[in-house]
Amino acid sequence: MNQLLDLVGIFVFALSGALVGVRKRLDVVGMAVLAEMTALGGGILRDLILNVRPAAFSSTGYVLVPVAATAIVFFWHPHVERVMPAVNVLDAAGLGLFCVVGTEKAMNYGLSPLHATLLGVTTGVGGGVLRDVLSGQIPSLLYDRQLYAVPATLGSAVMATLYTFDLHGWPATLAAAVFAFGLRIAAMRLRWRAPLARGVASE
């Protein structure tokens, strides 16, 4: 079940990476690279920090799913763009799942709750940062005020707290992931924004 959820999250993240490739007028190779990095980058960074073999290299599915997402975007990107609201909802679900699973894995490897939370956030948003750097733009994490990293941080913190009280396994993972997902959806629907520095006018 966990692997299936992983693959769903990977597929959604890969769609967003391939779409950036289309917008940047990259060829199919560039689209595939962005799809792979967006989908797998955060998990690979997490596992390298934990000094374990990246989960992305444990199953061919982790590599082939982004390839499939690239093919879909390559042939039908106008249709994918039209259903982006639904994709954004799935992206929020993937964010919640990835950040929480990353936090739990970090706790399993003996990291403190604080460091596990940071690594959980890295798992959730790291792929998007790599996508933006590779596509030659400022990472949206740094200027997107729609509270993307904040839900990931709070969801990871909830997971770390539950784990500290010996509450882990799928019920705790699901609860923390739903919490992060709900915050992200609320931020999108209610247009919550992070504040700018004092005296800086919003655009």
Side-chain angles (χ1 to χ4, degrees), residues 36-154:
E36 294 281 355
M37 287 297 99
T38 307
L40 305 176
I44 290 174
L45 287 173
R46 174 201 64 210
D47 291 343
L48 290 176
I49 292 172
L50 293 175
N51 199 29
V52 298
R53 185 176 69 175
F57 299 107
S58 65
S59 169
T60 56
Y62 285 92
V63 177
L64 294 181
V65 166
V67 172
T70 301
I72 290 171
V73 173
F74 182 82
F75 289 106
W76 298 291
H77 61 88
H79 303 287
V80 177
E81 289 279 11
R82 280 199 292 271
V83 299
M84 273 308 293
V87 173
N88 286 336
V89 172
L90 293 175
D91 180 84
L95 175 70
L97 176 68
F98 278 25
C99 70
V100 167
V101 169
T103 301
E104 185 174 22
K105 185 168 185 176
M107 294 289 286
N108 285 336
Y109 276 84
L111 269 66
S112 70
L114 174 61
H115 293 105
T117 297
L118 294 175
L119 200 50
V121 174
T122 299
T123 306
V125 307
V129 172
L130 290 174
R131 174 201 63 210
D132 293 342
V133 170
L134 288 174
S135 62
Q137 60 190 32
I138 299 173
S140 58
L141 179 67
L142 301 181
Y143 65 86
D144 179 7
R145 298 170 57 219
Q146 295 183 11
L147 301 188
Y148 196 80
V150 171
T153 302
L154 294 178

Side-chain angles (χ1 to χ4, degrees), residues 167-197:
L167 297 171
H168 44 90
W170 74 263
T173 301
L174 181 61
V178 168
F179 177 70
F181 169 75
L183 286 177
R184 173 59 181 155
I185 292 296
M188 289 191 296
R189 297 289 171 82
L190 301 177
R191 297 185 180 276
W192 290 344
R193 297 290 186 269
L196 294 173

